[in-house]
Amino acid sequence: QPHLVESGGGSVQAGGSLRLSCAASYTTYCMGWFRQAPGKEREGVATINAYHTQRYTDSVRGRFTISKDTAKNILYLEMNDLRPDDTATYYCAAGSAVGPCLVSSEAMDTWGKGTLVTIAS
């Protein structure tokens, strides 16, 4: 299983932007970003598969973009027009199974430790 390390979190004003990075020891068929807000369950944000097919949860579609640099083994999440309800710890995840690469924890089998994103109103 790959080792995943997130970076890029921080505190910004609503409407601002952040780019998260996830350095992986190697990339897998399906990789994604998930988040967990205080007092809430973890939710899927976006996934990308080996063919660069992207999927997003409805609340971030059009504002967030997932991408990866396979040569450098880095997964990115570009986040624009950030809102206070985007505040959460963001986790990078990797799944080795070849399949639909849905925005679901069930598609993942390795997790990073997370990076905190705080959006001030």
Side-chain angles (χ1 to χ4, degrees):
Q1 295 179 334
H3 181 59
L4 306 173
V5 179
E6 303 94 337
S7 62
S11 181
V12 299
Q13 295 289 324
S17 299
L18 280 174
R19 186 176 78 160
L20 304 183
S21 299
C22 171
S25 52
Y26 60 90
T27 56
T28 57
Y29 178 82
C30 178
M31 299 193 74
W33 289 96
F34 292 73
R35 66 186 180 185
Q36 187 167 19
K40 295 187 177 181
E41 294 186 356
R42 183 171 59 192
E43 66 169 343
V45 175
T47 61
I48 186 168
N49 70 8
Y51 303 101
H52 294 258
T53 300
Q54 304 158 28
R55 297 178 186 264
Y56 298 92
T57 193
D58 288 346
S59 63
V60 308
R61 188 175 291 111
R63 300 188 297 123
F64 291 11
T65 302
I66 189 171
S67 63
K68 63 180 178 178
D69 184 330
T70 304
K72 296 181 179 179
N73 292 332
I74 300 177
L75 181 72
Y76 299 102
L77 184 69
E78 184 75 35
M79 306 186 294
N80 298 312
D81 190 22
L82 284 160
R83 305 166 180 168
D85 59 5
D86 293 318
T87 294
T89 298
Y90 284 71
Y91 298 91
C92 173
S96 57
V98 176
C101 195
L102 299 177
V103 186
S104 169
S105 297
E106 295 181 354
M108 308 298 168
D109 42 43
T110 305
W111 298 84
K113 295 186 181 297
T115 185
L116 179 63
V117 171
T118 303
I119 311 304
S121 58

